[in-house]
Amino acid sequence: MEYGAATRGALLAAAPLYGARRSRLPLSPPPSPPSIQIQNRLYSMSSLPLKARGVRRCEASLASDYTKASEVADLDWENLGFGIVQTDYMYITKCGQDGNFSEGEMIPFGPIALNPSSGVLNYGQGLFEGLKAYRTTDDSILLFRPEENALRMRTGAERMCMPAPSVEQFVDAVKQTVLANKRWVPPTGKGSLYIRPLLMGSGAVLGLAPAPEYTFIIFVSPVGNYFKEGLAPINLIVEDKFHRATPGGTGSVKTIGNYASVLMAQKIAKEKGYSDVLYLDAVHKKYLEEVSSCNIFVVKGNVISTPAVKGTILPGITRKSIIDVALSKGFQVEERLVSVEELLEADEVFCTGTAVVVSPVGSITYQGKRVEYAGNKGVGVVSQQLYTSLTSLQMGQAEDWLGWTVQLS
């Protein structure tokens, strides 16, 4: 379901039944369905709640620093990679045993105090999200479907026995954090501001149990391309020994432990010269699941197939968006079991994710056999078309009739 800012496309991306074929979207905007409304508040620079850390930093000093936030940061925007850049402010709020989060505040970006016996450190009780903000040619800032990240965090929090901010508080916090760090949003076409919401069990706990206190934080960093190749083919190896997730586990939620478990296979793959790893299902060991942090799509003729979200695969927001864009372009999209044999016989393969957006796959290596797509010399036609369509929406270069973007002033 779509909520909030995605008012006009709400019913387009409802999850299909397992193995279902997605119907084609109309090429003109559909009628507006009922939805939960997210208040699209506009903030002035002086209206955000700011708090100085420590008694030595006075409000006047912090206000002076914040005024400078309207200036553009001095970075080498032409060579911006995907890594952490320390920005000005981060958002923080806490929740006690009553399940209610306090009104959040903006504090200077920096280390946080955490009890050694906190739930997140001892038992991995933590979730994160990822989304982006883009600067348009008229210098406004656009968010892309932030309410979807809020809903996914709430789903993950329920699985991890954690309270979560409401959709409204999540989206509001994202807006505040981006505006507080506006000078770090890259110029148009030079990258994006990556937004990282974190929800963690910060309360002290010794025995295995949910933490008594939770902290919700949002920090940001300007980023360029996730893969060093940029919008160029990446080379994947199919992993048939290690597995990312198992049925009944937490593969479908964005919990922190899911990512630590892929580091070994990824490290081995990169040492061999591959860009990343593609995982198979843990039961039959022949059906595609995910790349380490991306969803996978296989193209054959006019049919685009992607593994169905069935409990072991993260329901990616970019994945969901690409499906709708592909349908609007006249492609047939199937969400189902996709075998590794189909992968090797495909016309084209690509990955999707918040960090990569769309990343074409130049080659797949499976059990020593290497298969190349499009001669490994360029971007596939479908990948290029979908990448251009989606990024045009995200950056405000095309009409957003689906209502996916949220503009900040």
Side-chain angles (χ1 to χ4, degrees):
M1 295 181 292
E2 306 294 343
Y3 295 82
T7 56
R8 303 184 70 178
L11 300 182
L12 298 179
L17 295 176
Y18 175 73
R21 177 177 295 178
R22 296 293 289 271
S23 60
R24 179 174 175 176
L25 287 179
L27 295 179
S28 59
S32 299
S35 63
I36 297 175
Q37 297 295 322
I38 305 300
Q39 185 179 10
N40 191 2
R41 291 175 57 188
L42 298 179
Y43 298 90
S44 66
M45 289 301 184
S46 61
S47 67
L48 303 183
L50 301 173
K51 181 177 180 180
R53 178 176 310 172
V55 295
R56 293 188 178 182
R57 188 180 179 103
C58 66
E59 288 294 335
S61 175
L62 185 63
S64 175
D65 286 349
Y66 190 69
T67 300
K68 296 176 184 177
S70 60
E71 303 169 0
V72 177
D74 184 18
L75 284 181
D76 182 3
W77 299 112
E78 298 295 334
N79 296 291
L80 190 60
F82 197 94
I84 186 68
V85 174
Q86 181 168 324
T87 52
D88 298 321
Y89 298 102
M90 63 184 187
Y91 175 94
I92 187 167
T93 181
K94 291 183 180 292
C95 172
Q97 292 182 329
D98 62 358
N100 296 317
F101 282 86
S102 62
E103 182 179 354
E105 58 191 8
M106 211 64 62
I107 63 175
F109 178 88
I112 59 172
L114 203 57
N115 194 302
S117 62
S118 64
V120 65
L121 293 181
N122 289 264
Y123 300 115
Q125 200 180 21
L127 294 163
F128 72 91
E129 278 296 328
L131 61 157
K132 288 179 175 178
Y134 297 86
R135 189 182 297 274
T136 65
T137 53
D138 65 359
D139 206 37
S140 61
I141 306 298
L142 292 181
L143 302 176
F144 185 71
R145 309 187 79 174
E147 76 291 338
E148 289 290 332
N149 296 91
L151 289 165
R152 189 169 64 179
M153 175 166 277
R154 289 183 65 81
T155 299
E158 182 178 2
R159 176 64 177 86
M160 301 299 291
C161 293
M162 306 167 70
S166 68
V167 174
E168 291 80 3
Q169 184 174 15
F170 181 103
V171 174
D172 190 63
V174 168
K175 292 177 180 179
Q176 291 186 46
T177 309
V178 171
L179 286 176
N181 294 283
K182 182 178 179 180
R183 74 191 187 101
W184 297 98
V185 182
T188 304
K190 303 300 182 183
S192 58
L193 186 71
Y194 189 85
I195 306 161
R196 173 56 60 84
L198 285 168
L199 178 63
M200 68 186 85
S202 52
V205 58
L206 187 59
L208 180 58
E213 178 195 80
Y214 296 87
T215 300
F216 177 59
I217 291 174
I218 303 178
F219 68 89
V220 297
S221 178
V223 296
N225 294 319
Y226 182 78
F227 290 116
K228 62 180 177 60
E229 294 89 345
L231 186 62
I234 61 173
N235 301 300
L236 301 179
I237 183 170
V238 178
E239 178 57 58
D240 56 4
K241 296 182 178 63
F242 296 105
H243 294 284
R244 175 190 167 275
T246 58
T250 58
S252 63
V253 299
K254 210 167 175 65
T255 183
I256 57 178
N258 289 349
Y259 296 83
S261 63
V262 306
L263 295 178
M264 175 62 76
Q266 188 183 66
K267 177 176 180 291
I268 294 172
K270 290 189 174 183
E271 288 174 348
K272 294 179 179 179
Y274 298 103
S275 307
D276 215 326
V277 175
L278 173 58
Y279 292 91
L280 300 178
D281 75 288
V283 178
H284 305 285
K285 301 184 179 181
K286 68 175 185 178
Y287 296 111
L288 309 185
E289 294 245 312
E290 288 187 43
V291 181
S292 299
S293 58
C294 311
N295 294 115
I296 190 84
F297 287 78
V298 174
V299 182
K300 190 70 173 178
N302 195 53
V303 180
I304 302 176
S305 304
T306 189
V309 176
K310 52 182 174 58
T312 57
I313 296 172
L314 186 73
I317 295 162
T318 307
R319 170 191 183 275
K320 185 176 185 177
S321 304
I322 281 292
I323 288 173
D324 284 345
V325 170
L327 289 169
S328 74
K329 298 294 182 183
F331 291 99
Q332 178 181 316
V333 180
E334 297 180 353
E335 298 178 77
R336 57 176 176 81
L337 292 175
V338 181
S339 68
V340 69
E341 288 77 16
E342 291 180 78
L343 172 75
L344 300 178
E345 296 173 359
D347 298 332
E348 193 176 331
V349 178
F350 62 89
C351 304
T352 65
T354 297
V356 302
V357 186
V358 173
S359 186
V361 176
S363 74
I364 292 284
T365 300
Y366 175 59
Q367 295 183 344
K369 178 182 178 181
R370 180 185 173 98
V371 174
E372 295 187 352
Y373 307 96
N376 199 23
K377 295 180 180 179
V379 179
V381 174
V382 177
S383 301
Q384 180 68 70
Q385 183 179 6
L386 297 179
Y387 172 84
T388 300
S389 296
L390 186 60
T391 54
S392 295
L393 283 171
Q394 291 175 328
M395 294 187 287
Q397 298 170 349
E399 181 184 356
D400 179 21
W401 62 269
L402 287 165
W404 284 349
T405 57
V406 176
Q407 182 173 342
L408 306 183
S409 297

